[in-house]
Amino acid sequence: MLADYLPVYRIRLRTERLELRLPDHDDLAALAGQAAAGVHDPDFQPFKNAWTEAEPLTRGRTAVLWNLRLLSGITPERWCLPFVAVRDGQVVGKQDLAAKQYALTREATTSSWLGREHHGQGLGTEMRAAVLALLFDGLDAEWALSDSLDGNGPSQGVSAKLGYRADGIDHQVYKDRRVTSRRWRLTRADWEAHRRHEVRIEGLDDDAKAMLGLA
């Protein structure tokens, strides 16, 4: 089985409505379908690399190839776990958790997107809560990081609900104009004070931890 060689594939995160898991090829095809159907309001670009500004087929292909790249690039020193979020058997979006030299830094960054038809249902908060439980409960983190471009109210709202605090700004250039990216940091204490969802972690054994740099 694939998980015999890639033990992180054993990890499952379960919330009230969602299962988060690393994608197989069928999951990637379903994720591509969500990307092709649309991820955000066309009047606002929430992504720094603007990957959604393409025709539907290209958006879907980008989703598949990018996530295959993330999966193939996992090492103990640098990793990104591109979980798909599944509700009632349907892939509805993805939730990433990424870190560099995690054994030393004890911090990781989250990012996510949902198919547009699944917006406004609280799933973004639930998805992020799932990986925060993995991070703090399962991997003994000290901090979680996130960021959002100015104007991305839903992302900023999820951070606020879950207890993140402002952690400075960066500037990006988008279509020959400057945009501001706001950084957010969550401490263990703030996470515990703002826990909103019960999360069950499965499959996080010693082999999976070792693949993430925790021998």
Side-chain angles (χ1 to χ4, degrees):
M1 295 180 65
L2 185 60
D4 293 334
Y5 300 96
L6 300 175
V8 289
Y9 262 86
R10 299 173 192 151
I11 299 171
R12 294 287 191 277
L13 308 175
R14 302 187 190 277
T15 66
E16 296 93 328
R17 296 180 292 176
L18 298 173
E19 175 188 347
L20 273 67
R21 65 189 183 222
L22 293 184
D24 61 19
H25 285 179
D26 288 339
D27 289 335
L28 288 174
L31 189 69
Q34 291 291 344
V39 174
H40 58 80
D41 187 323
D43 292 332
F44 177 75
Q45 174 53 257
F47 300 116
K48 296 176 184 177
N49 59 6
W51 66 275
T52 53
E53 293 186 5
E55 294 302 312
L57 180 62
T58 301
R59 290 200 302 269
R61 181 179 297 134
T62 296
V64 172
L65 294 177
W66 177 248
N67 286 287
L68 286 172
R69 179 180 175 182
L70 294 178
L71 290 165
S72 68
I74 295 172
T75 69
E77 295 76 29
R78 180 172 183 157
W79 45 264
C80 181
L81 302 178
F83 292 106
V84 289
V86 182
R87 182 184 187 187
D88 297 330
Q90 179 187 16
V91 172
V92 297
K94 65 167 293 195
Q95 175 71 62
D96 290 351
L97 183 68
K100 300 176 186 177
Q101 299 292 337
Y102 180 77
L104 298 174
T105 66
R106 295 291 173 168
E107 65 182 27
T109 300
T110 64
S111 58
S112 66
W113 58 262
L114 278 165
R116 195 174 177 192
E117 66 179 296
H118 305 289
H119 290 196
Q121 302 172 42
L123 297 177
T125 302
E126 200 165 324
M127 288 160 53
R128 198 178 323 173
V131 293
L132 290 177
L134 172 63
L135 190 58
F136 286 109
D137 278 340
L139 300 177
D140 195 28
E142 295 182 34
W143 301 281
L145 311 176
S146 188
D147 63 70
S148 57
L149 294 180
D150 263 2
N152 191 347
S155 177
Q156 185 170 332
V158 170
S159 296
K161 288 178 185 177
L162 294 173
Y164 289 73
R165 298 175 188 258
D167 193 37
I169 64 172
D170 294 314
H171 288 122
Q172 314 289 332
V173 175
Y174 173 68
K175 292 187 175 179
D176 296 322
R177 63 184 180 87
R178 187 181 72 184
V179 295
T180 300
S181 176
R182 300 193 177 274
R183 301 194 303 266
W184 308 97
R185 180 175 292 268
L186 179 66
T187 66
R188 173 178 286 276
D190 283 336
W191 169 70
E192 290 175 345
H194 291 80
R195 294 189 73 159
R196 287 175 166 265
H197 296 278
E198 292 299 319
V199 181
R200 186 166 77 251
I201 303 170
E202 301 172 0
L204 184 63
D205 56 20
D206 287 344
D207 290 336
K209 289 181 179 181
M211 196 170 172
L212 303 176
L214 297 175

